[in-house]
Amino acid sequence: MRSVGTAPRGLPAVLATAALLVLSAPGAVAAPATGTAPTTGTASAAPVALTGDRLAASWTGPLSTRGRYVVDANGQRFKLKSGNWAGAQGTWEGSGAVDDPANNQAGQVSHDIPLGLDRTPLGRITADFHAVGVNSIRLPFANAMIHDTAPVPDSAVAANPQLRGKTPLQVYDAVVAALTADGFAVVLNNHTTSYRFCCALDGNERWNSGQSTQQWVDDWVFLAERYKDNKRVVGADLRNEVRRDTWDDPNWGWGDDHDLYAAFEQAGNRILEADPDLLIIMEGINWQGIPSGMFSHGRPMLTPVRTLSNTLIDSGKLVYSAHFYGYTGPHHTGASGGWQNGETNDPRYQDLTPEQLVQAVDDEALFVTQAGQHFTAPVWISEFGAGGRGSDNAKEKDWFDRFTDILVKNDTDFAQWPLVGWSDATGKPNDTWALISYDATGRRTGVEDPGDWRAADWNKLVDAPARTGAVPPVDHWNTVDLDFGDQNLSRTMRPAADWAVGYRKGNCPDTERVVGLARSSNRGLCTDAGQPAKSAGAWTAVTDERYVKDDWAGGYNKLQCPDNGFAVGYSVNGNAMATLLCAPSATPLPATNRLVWFDHGDNRPATGGSNASDWAPGHYKGQCADDEYLAGVAFTWRWMHGGAPDALLCRPLR
């Protein structure tokens, strides 16, 4: 999300005297306008476009993930080549009449529905989307849209009279239906809370800005249930550009009301309970800190995922996302005009050398695609872009060329911002960043028409060589985090009674088992590598040594699963082991013991098992091999060990 104008609009002028409390939403602040007249030239060869029928025939919903790739229902790679069709998140910038173009983003009044419906029939718009080569649409919305009962003005849908008298949500329904009928995959994107658009202190900083977390989750469940029968509605993009408000930063894993990690997991799992077919898309923290050299500040994006990744009740449904714009930076807000407007002296992405840009994009996002780690998932660059026709910013052009090269080289899923904007009668766009612009008569000016310098880079990106065909299934490793509360990740146990009353407890997704524990951090590791099938028998919460048949850790307290049972969860009292949750195997399991001690250092497999990443930094970790199951845990209260786990009883799966 970004705003366009002759000056940055992300920072209210009334806050200039309190600049240390103000930030500009990264990826959401105005790029400098140039006022340059449209240039002339010849666009490069247009991308290979699929008609609606051909696109629809090329993939089958729903989508899921295998390692770093998104795949369709047949296991075929589906690369998200997407655009953002903005408008339903609102375009009003926060002051003045809401229907005055001067008070709306780039002078475009969306009336809180996707832009362009006043100018062009839906079928023409979707045909133009095919022409630019996208196969999927990120469709922003505001929570306000869900609760808005007022019909949109007739003028807002002048080119689509069938939509007259409909509410913004009903128009959104029609747009979703038209897109999916024409073969596109649709990702629902919670962009804002209110209809106010873009940026900084606009009341949309967090998922619970202007609303409770519960209301936000309930809205998501409502939409998941509304579209669950449409298998081309493929994803729930949980929240756009979470950032600091006046006083408080969002955080990742602190267990409070500003904990994005916990909020994403709560919402994602509730959505999957409503519709298990949806991808759950999580964007990292877009900004933390006060934009001044006197204070720590920056754009974490996905960096916290290295050591605390999310786990969903269904493996193969998590996608991470990130935003990159040339005028922002790893520590730059994107603002212009000095410290009064929230600008810092940090380099922007467009200021980085080619090597520095590659490193920054990897550190902040693409590292997540590394195979076989606890954080491994596809990464979708769900917003990027640059001013095209009528814009002549040399540094931005250079950045856009280099950034699209990075996406091509890494075969990265992407979504350009934005797809649709307005233009005047000469074809000059209101928003130079839009790939397609329509004038008041519906005449289109697009990236493929002469005069838009982005065409070569856009076509390079859309037509880049990419992995296609079947993607083999992969093993998963996922974390359990009990630092601040329960983490119930099992569909079986979520509706069940509390199996460890008074203790913090966690369990793996039903397709996984516990394979590792950390000392004094309450973290665990789950996997489905070689996963044995579970029998229909009851799961057992073990709190004593009744199932211990031989003293495999002399002098230590032990929790051990029943024969032919394997650990799928655990509970803690402080840092001490309290309960081991065990599921029964459908087939007999070997009982050969191997003891893994980790009271004096890490004891993890040299290969496999998320070995190249740290799922509990600063703490000793014990981990069974990928071809083993965890059958027991040993601990002691002696020697000031405090009941923290010291050893794992690992047994072979076969």
Side-chain angles (χ1 to χ4, degrees), residues 232-465:
R232 295 196 188 277
V233 177
V234 298
D237 185 354
L238 296 181
R239 186 69 181 188
N240 185 74
E241 293 184 2
V242 172
R243 57 195 186 271
R244 181 186 176 90
D245 61 16
T246 305
W247 302 109
D248 297 301
D249 283 325
N251 67 74
W252 195 264
W254 291 13
D256 60 14
D257 286 344
H258 300 159
D259 185 350
L260 182 60
Y261 163 82
F264 274 174
E265 211 148 275
Q266 177 186 350
N269 285 324
R270 283 285 310 282
I271 291 166
L272 287 174
E273 287 176 322
D275 182 359
D277 288 331
L278 287 174
L279 295 174
I280 303 300
I281 299 167
M282 302 182 183
E283 183 185 334
I285 296 172
N286 201 261
W287 185 267
Q288 286 178 326
I290 299 171
S292 165
M294 299 171 58
F295 300 95
S296 174
H297 60 270
R299 192 183 311 279
M301 291 217 274
L302 298 180
T303 53
V305 174
R306 283 189 184 275
T307 54
L308 183 57
S309 56
N310 295 90
T311 304
L312 296 170
I313 58 176
D314 296 321
S315 301
K317 287 296 180 180
L318 175 60
V319 174
Y320 284 112
S321 69
H323 294 180
F324 288 93
Y325 290 106
Y327 62 90
T328 67
H331 298 279
H332 198 294
T333 60
S336 299
W339 66 269
Q340 300 93 333
N341 288 326
E343 183 179 14
T344 67
N345 293 323
D346 305 290
R348 304 173 191 262
Y349 289 114
Q350 65 192 27
D351 297 326
L352 302 181
T353 67
E355 295 77 16
Q356 289 171 332
L357 182 61
V358 168
Q359 190 64 53
V361 174
D362 186 71
D363 288 345
E364 296 165 21
L366 296 188
F367 75 89
V368 172
T369 62
Q370 182 180 359
Q373 308 309 309
H374 67 88
F375 50 67
T376 302
V379 172
W380 186 36
I381 305 303
S382 57
E383 284 189 27
F384 75 102
R389 185 183 312 277
S391 179
D392 192 24
N393 184 326
K395 294 190 75 169
E396 187 172 71
K397 288 183 177 182
D398 176 63
W399 171 82
F400 192 74
D401 181 60
R402 291 189 287 129
F403 183 71
T404 51
D405 280 346
I406 293 171
L407 299 184
V408 168
K409 181 177 180 181
N410 289 278
D411 194 7
T412 301
D413 301 64
F414 60 86
Q416 184 270 352
W417 179 278
L419 266 178
V420 177
W422 291 1
S423 62
D424 65 18
T426 71
K428 180 179 180 181
N430 289 36
D431 183 349
T432 64
W433 294 55
L435 285 187
I436 303 165
S437 298
Y438 298 105
D439 71 11
T441 69
R443 189 183 67 159
R444 188 207 72 224
T445 304
V447 67
E448 299 302 336
D449 296 318
D452 196 319
W453 64 264
R454 297 171 300 174
D457 287 318
W458 175 253
N459 296 338
K460 167 190 69 180
L461 178 60
V462 172
D463 291 335

Side-chain angles (χ1 to χ4, degrees), residues 451-597:
D452 196 319
W453 64 264
R454 297 171 300 174
D457 287 318
W458 175 253
N459 296 338
K460 167 190 69 180
L461 178 60
V462 172
D463 291 335
R467 175 167 183 165
T468 59
V471 178
V474 299
D475 294 330
H476 300 90
W477 289 270
N478 294 111
T479 55
V480 176
D481 174 31
L482 305 186
D483 286 347
F484 297 104
D486 293 353
Q487 197 171 42
N488 190 347
L489 303 169
S490 161
R491 283 186 177 272
T492 298
M493 299 304 294
R494 283 170 74 86
D498 190 339
W499 53 272
V501 178
Y503 300 134
R504 298 197 305 280
K505 66 199 72 66
N507 42 53
C508 300
D510 282 351
T511 55
E512 301 184 19
R513 66 187 184 279
V514 178
V515 73
L517 291 173
R519 294 194 81 248
S520 305
S521 81
N522 307 315
R523 299 264 182 101
L525 187 69
C526 304
T527 191
D528 55 12
Q531 177 74 5
K534 298 182 178 73
S535 76
W539 295 13
T540 305
V542 179
T543 59
D544 54 34
E545 298 190 4
R546 70 184 64 190
Y547 299 109
V548 177
K549 294 182 178 179
D550 59 90
D551 193 354
W552 45 267
Y556 283 74
N557 302 82
K558 291 171 282 292
L559 301 175
Q560 184 174 336
C561 292
D563 288 348
N564 295 317
F566 52 92
V568 292
Y570 61 99
S571 77
V572 295
N573 181 9
N575 289 323
M577 286 296 302
T579 315
L580 196 62
L581 182 66
C582 304
S585 173
T587 56
L589 294 174
T592 305
N593 293 345
R594 184 174 77 90
L595 211 56
V596 174
W597 289 94

Side-chain angles (χ1 to χ4, degrees), residues 27-192:
V29 183
T34 64
T36 305
T39 59
T40 59
T42 302
S44 63
V48 177
L50 298 178
T51 63
D53 289 343
R54 290 180 62 200
L55 178 58
S58 71
W59 68 283
T60 304
L63 302 183
S64 58
T65 71
R66 292 184 177 179
R68 61 147 294 177
Y69 297 106
V70 176
V71 298
D72 75 356
N74 298 318
Q76 302 289 307
R77 198 291 175 82
F78 184 87
K79 183 173 182 177
L80 291 165
K81 301 180 180 182
S82 319
N84 285 267
W85 190 1
Q89 82 287 347
T91 52
W92 180 61
E93 293 189 313
S95 62
V98 297
D99 57 355
D100 184 344
N103 302 324
N104 284 258
Q105 185 265 337
Q108 303 170 142
V109 184
S110 74
H111 293 291
D112 313 319
I113 60 176
L115 277 163
L117 298 176
D118 59 329
R119 299 172 173 229
T120 311
L122 253 173
R124 167 71 184 280
I125 293 174
T126 60
D128 289 342
F129 290 172
H130 287 300
V132 297
V134 297
N135 62 13
S136 43
I137 305 297
R138 184 178 185 245
L139 198 61
F141 69 89
N143 292 95
M145 180 196 76
I146 296 171
H147 307 280
D148 190 346
T149 59
V152 301
D154 287 353
S155 61
V157 290
N160 292 274
Q162 75 278 13
L163 301 179
R164 288 177 182 168
K166 295 188 180 296
T167 67
L169 177 58
Q170 290 169 334
V171 173
Y172 195 86
D173 290 340
V175 167
V176 169
L179 288 168
T180 55
D182 215 23
F184 293 101
V186 172
V187 175
L188 313 176
N189 162 239
N190 179 220
H191 214 78
T192 52

